[in-house]
Amino acid sequence: MRIGLLSDTHSFVEPSIYKHFADVDEIWHAGDIGSISVTDELQEFKTVRAVYGNIDGAQIRTVWPEHARFKCEGMDVWMTHIGGYPGRYSPKVKPEIYQNPPDLFICGHSHILKVVNDPKINCLHMNPGAIGNSGFHAVKTMMRFNIAQGKVKDLEVIEIPRR
């Protein structure tokens, strides 16, 4: 399964998403969608899995959950918007992540791209950064990767200069 991962669109669909995600099977959005039109537009292009973020209003929250936990190619995936980092997990996820850790934990919120292994719970943590125009990030970022036989493979970071 080939995945395109992004977060923090803040109501803006970066046009290069279509080029960079042309060969993905699904697009995963880790919150702060901004407008339901973002996921509506992306769903016309690819299958979308998404969670709502702290800026998302009632309309988005009725369509997308706060947490999405699912299996993908033998991998237990948990996606949420505000999750923290290994050693500094958010209070909302901390009890569950230690009691029942996923294989892959995805969050957004910080606008900082990070991929970190948490050896304490044997979990890979990913944050795709931010692909929208709102925020302090100097470069827009998103990721592309494969999941096969319960493992993340061929991870690519995509950087888009801010105009």
Side-chain angles (χ1 to χ4, degrees), residues 40-158:
D40 288 349
E41 184 176 330
L42 293 175
Q43 283 180 300
E44 290 178 17
F45 176 58
K46 298 287 178 174
T47 298
V48 173
R49 293 182 190 252
V51 293
Y52 70 75
N54 56 296
I55 70 149
D56 295 323
Q59 185 181 25
I60 291 170
R61 291 172 188 232
T62 59
V63 174
W64 301 109
E66 181 179 11
H67 304 278
R69 187 128 186 203
F70 53 92
K71 295 278 189 185
C72 180
E73 299 294 321
M75 180 169 257
D76 179 9
V77 180
W78 182 2
M79 184 167 61
T80 193
H81 184 61
I82 300 176
Y85 294 101
R88 298 186 65 212
Y89 291 110
S90 163
K92 278 190 166 186
V93 303
K94 194 173 188 175
E96 178 70 14
I97 204 163
Y98 285 118
Q99 290 170 14
N100 185 19
D103 301 313
L104 175 60
F105 183 66
I106 297 169
C107 63
H109 187 62
S110 71
H111 291 220
I112 299 168
L113 186 141
K114 235 180 223 193
V115 178
V116 182
N117 186 45
D118 186 346
K120 188 174 182 178
I121 59 172
N122 193 29
C123 173
L124 181 61
H125 175 280
M126 287 185 180
N127 185 323
I131 195 64
N133 288 328
S134 298
F136 65 87
H137 53 283
V139 176
K140 298 181 201 180
T141 57
M142 53 188 170
M143 297 177 182
R144 210 172 28 205
F145 57 93
N146 295 321
I147 298 178
Q149 299 166 341
K151 301 283 184 200
V152 170
K153 300 177 186 255
D154 306 316
L155 175 64
E156 299 170 272
V157 169
I158 301 160

Side-chain angles (χ1 to χ4, degrees), residues 6-9 12-14 16-17 29 128-133 137 140-142 158 160:
L6 49 78
S7 183
D8 295 274
T9 48
F12 176 74
V13 177
E14 167 59 47
S16 66
I17 287 170
H29 193 307
I131 195 64
N133 288 328
H137 53 283
K140 298 181 201 180
T141 57
M142 53 188 170
I158 301 160
I160 311 294

